[in-house]
Amino acid sequence: MASWIWIGLIALIAGFAGGLAFAVVRALAAWRTLRGASATLSGGLQRVSDDSAALTAKLEALSSRSERLQTALQRLAVTRARLNVLLAAIGQVRAGIARVTGIVPRKG
């Protein structure tokens, strides 16, 4: 009967040691995975930071170009207004010439 107790005790100790070894192996694997993920996450965050800095610089340049575009559009509006005035004057001159040439007989 005492031998069954010793066999049970040895099985209990072996099971405990096996469970502890399994838990240690899993904990080490989790630690390695966490370290690798931390390095990957750190690199990813650095890339995001660099990209956001580049984006900020591009947005500032775009803002500057937008101001130049607004100035150019205002100049274009003034120039188009002048062109419309000149086209109206040319139209009036052509209408006057057409009235004069309409009166003059043609050789036919």
Side-chain angles (χ1 to χ4, degrees):
M1 178 87 108
S3 65
W4 288 107
I5 293 175
W6 285 109
I7 293 173
L9 186 61
I10 290 172
L12 177 68
I13 292 172
F16 181 73
L20 184 62
F22 180 77
V24 168
V25 168
R26 289 292 185 163
L28 285 175
W31 176 253
R32 288 182 188 132
T33 302
L34 182 62
R35 253 190 2 213
S38 175
T40 302
L41 182 63
S42 176
L45 289 175
Q46 183 62 39
R47 279 195 312 267
V48 168
S49 176
D50 293 344
D51 290 347
S52 67
L55 182 61
T56 301
K58 288 180 181 180
L59 286 175
E60 288 174 0
L62 183 62
S63 175
S64 171
R65 290 178 187 159
S66 176
E67 291 171 5
R68 287 187 3 220
L69 177 62
Q70 278 301 107
T71 304
L73 286 173
Q74 289 171 352
R75 286 195 321 258
L76 177 63
V78 169
T79 303
R80 287 196 59 149
R82 287 180 187 162
L83 175 64
N84 289 338
V85 168
L86 291 174
L87 287 175
I90 289 172
Q92 290 174 355
V93 169
R94 283 186 175 171
I97 291 174
R99 281 193 303 262
V100 170
T101 57
I103 297 174
V104 177
R106 294 186 179 175
K107 293 182 182 175

